[in-house]
Amino acid sequence: MEERNGYVSHIVFRNVENGYTVFELENAEGETETCVGNFPFISEGEYVCVRGEIVQHPVYMEQLKVASLETKDPDDQAAMLRYLSSGAIAGIRGGLAKRIVDRFGDRTFEVIEKEPERLAEVKGISEKKAMAISLQFEEKREMRSAMLFLQEYGISNQLAVKIFKAYGAGLYEIVKQNPYQLAEDIAGVGFRIADEIARKAGFALDSDYRVRAGILYVLGLGTSAGYVYMPEQQLLKEAVYRLEVSSGQLLDVLEQMALDKAVIVTEERAVYLPALYYSELNCARMLTDLNVPIRRNTGGCDAVIDSVAEREGLELDEQQRIAVREAMSTGLLVITGGPGTGKTTTINMIIRCLREAGMEILLAAPTGRAAKRMAEAAGCEAQTIHRLLEYNGSLLEGENREENKQEELFGRNEWNPLETDVLIIDEMSMVDIYLFHSLLKAVAVGTRLILVGDVNQLPSVGPGNVLKDIIRSHCFNVVKLSRIFRQAAESDIILNAHRINDGEEIELDNNSRDFFCLKRDDSHGVLEVMLWLVREKMPAYTSCTPFDVQVLTPMKKGELGVYRCNEVLQRYLNPKSPDKNEMESHGQLFREGDKVMQMKNNYQIKWEIRGYNQMVIEEGSGVFNGDCGIITEIDTFNKEITVRFDDEKYVAYPQGNMDELELAYAITIHKSQGSEYPAVVLPLLAGPRPLMNRNILYTAVTRGRKCVTIVGSRETVRGMIQNKSEQMRYSSLAERISELIKG
């Protein structure tokens, strides 16, 4: 471990988000050395003691990677002058700094801190400016002290910056009295971090503060699993296990939380986070408001359908005709069906028939890929739901945004609804209760809402089971398309998908043009074949690139999980090269040219669309869970990764946001929802029973457009078909709809 003392002569670079700083350190002999580390509080002119290790940067040569840094107050006039002249305090430079030091000498800092009004004795400083100087000086001291204080509790500089910005000098009281407040207020400080801080601060395991935070933590885990609520008994059981406290104390705290409106407990002993409770309740109300009959002559509808069908050269079966007729005569319609059942044809007919009547129509889907597919199929513009709602990237004033609080603001809402007669949403199985709530708020009563999706697909990543619950309520017009059309029936992908959904065995004899199963009994053999398929066989067979072939797997971990498959695929599809920069983040190696996926909604991160000569032609904010792209640039000096997403949006990720990215040569089947690929490869051996079920296999198979190849065990495939268990999702949307409509 090397140790250095000296002045911060120059701040070369600083990332304002995470505090990563590159600075020049000048010693007593006037020699300078480049230092790097996360130090958001240091300024030019400060005297510091640093400890760290010498590292060789591939571009910027030798650097001192600082592990710890201690600032020291200047103790002589020369040092004070140097500090004030550096610009660390806004408004003070060279001549003014010298006049201040000349006037107050060794007491300069003492005067700034304790007698700031005396600064007005110096020419060029008013009383107002004197107080501003003193305030800045104090803020810098406070921030430095806060960083050091929080470091004692094992808090990273990145989080420390967030905490200081949120609380200022009040953070000491919060950390000492109730550190669990951090988990509620600060994004990135979860229960585990807060619990570790509390342990170091001497909090007891049975502290009511801890129990309260633990209950919210367990409810948050439920939300991550897709629950809208948790049954009280299940919540208590999970909390007892994780917190190691008595159920009696948990019940007492839960009761108090209900009185404080921190949670909502229903008569059925269902425990909700308030945002989820009101989202569900309001969705039920708004759906019933939209479900109004529209007077229209049935014969007139049929005449329009016949006329449009003849003009467009389309042929409808009876169910499709019913769907189009219902779309013309009701305020709310659900259309569901598997692959090849004519959903696209039906949507196209609905669009043309309603436009025949002079209606304005908007189309949207949950993801960029799904919206693009919808636009191509319908021959008109389709947007993501977020873009449709004009997400503006801001937060409610004075509040921190967390994923489960839905505090994001949309330009379109109940006060500024969508200007359309008809709204059609595709891939509804992917829409969670939060997003659906925001969508419905922007749909004015009288607007026709048509929801389209495959109810047998996996449910949304976020909480709720919206499409299935709407159908399960039996309160709205639902048209189920079931006939497989002739062209689709020629595809074994589609035929096998329906057989899987019906629990029937599928042919695995490889006598097919688009569906194959290559038998391998061990993970090494599976990975070897997977690599061959992605690199050579599938691109040639389907006329695509290796990057277009998507590997899908049920699991993240294990020998055939996402992490292992990505490691192998990255090595051979995008190998290490002197021409490609790379960077490691959260245990994952990223390289220029890598295929990556956004793993969570980030409503604030900025994007830009570039035109000719890389000129920026459009800017905005927001990248969403499941968006895929390619790493175009890695700036190792500024610790930044730039990704070009499928919709041509360029996004720069600072180090603090890199944990939102994962390699995407292989992704989980859950993450593939709403997407379609020319070729899909499924490595399948034995795995956890909850992840090896019919629903997961069905979703995976339906992602392939030209070819699906399973590599692994045929017994595993058969076992998945027979395993029809699905993960339980606690939601009450169906019941709330029924209560409102049926009384």
Side-chain angles (χ1 to χ4, degrees), residues 378-415:
C380 50
E381 185 187 8
Q383 308 171 72
T384 64
I385 295 174
H386 283 87
R387 189 160 187 170
L388 176 80
L389 298 178
E390 298 174 10
Y391 175 74
N392 61 25
S394 59
L395 303 178
L396 295 177
E397 190 174 347
E399 296 181 359
N400 295 299
R401 184 196 178 278
E402 293 181 19
E403 194 80 32
N404 66 348
K405 290 183 179 179
Q406 208 196 15
E407 294 173 348
E408 67 269 19
L409 293 179
F410 294 95
R412 296 291 180 174
N413 47 43
E414 59 266 54
W415 301 286

Side-chain angles (χ1 to χ4, degrees), residues 398-514:
E399 296 181 359
N400 295 299
R401 184 196 178 278
E402 293 181 19
E403 194 80 32
N404 66 348
K405 290 183 179 179
Q406 208 196 15
E407 294 173 348
E408 67 269 19
L409 293 179
F410 294 95
R412 296 291 180 174
N413 47 43
E414 59 266 54
W415 301 286
N416 184 29
L418 294 165
E419 297 170 7
T420 188
D421 300 306
V422 184
L423 176 61
I424 303 175
I425 305 294
D426 198 11
E427 295 288 354
M428 262 302 298
S429 63
M430 297 180 65
V431 178
D432 65 32
I433 193 72
Y434 282 140
L435 185 57
F436 196 52
H437 182 235
S438 294
L439 176 70
L440 290 180
K441 286 198 295 183
V443 181
V445 175
T447 304
R448 302 186 197 196
L449 180 62
I450 300 170
L451 307 176
V452 185
D454 184 351
V455 75
N456 294 309
Q457 294 282 354
L458 290 168
S460 59
V461 175
N465 212 346
V466 174
L467 180 62
K468 190 169 285 188
D469 279 352
I470 291 172
I471 296 171
R472 189 166 61 86
S473 73
H474 303 294
C475 294
F476 307 112
N477 290 334
V478 178
V479 179
K480 185 177 181 181
L481 305 178
S482 54
R483 175 189 167 191
I484 303 175
F485 285 83
R486 180 179 59 79
Q487 189 175 358
E490 296 173 0
S491 165
D492 286 325
I493 294 174
I494 289 174
L495 290 177
N496 283 334
H498 284 274
R499 288 182 184 128
I500 290 167
N501 190 49
D502 293 336
E504 300 173 4
E505 286 220 7
I506 59 176
E507 295 293 332
L508 300 172
D509 54 10
N510 292 328
N511 293 322
S512 173
R513 291 180 300 175
D514 61 7

Side-chain angles (χ1 to χ4, degrees), residues 574-582 591-593 632-634:
N574 189 31
K576 188 179 181 67
S577 166
D579 301 328
K580 297 175 183 176
N581 287 336
E582 54 187 48
R591 186 174 292 135
E592 289 176 344
T632 59
E633 183 185 358
I634 294 179

Side-chain angles (χ1 to χ4, degrees), residues 247-266:
S247 57
Q249 185 182 6
L250 282 163
L251 271 171
D252 290 342
V253 173
L254 186 63
E255 184 178 337
Q256 186 58 51
M257 290 173 72
L259 291 172
D260 297 339
K261 304 287 177 65
V263 298
I264 291 174
V265 183
T266 67

Side-chain angles (χ1 to χ4, degrees), residues 52-68:
E53 294 181 357
I54 301 292
V55 296
Q56 285 293 133
H57 192 280
V59 177
Y60 303 104
M61 310 304 288
E62 191 175 273
Q63 298 177 338
L64 182 67
K65 188 177 182 180
V66 179
S68 67

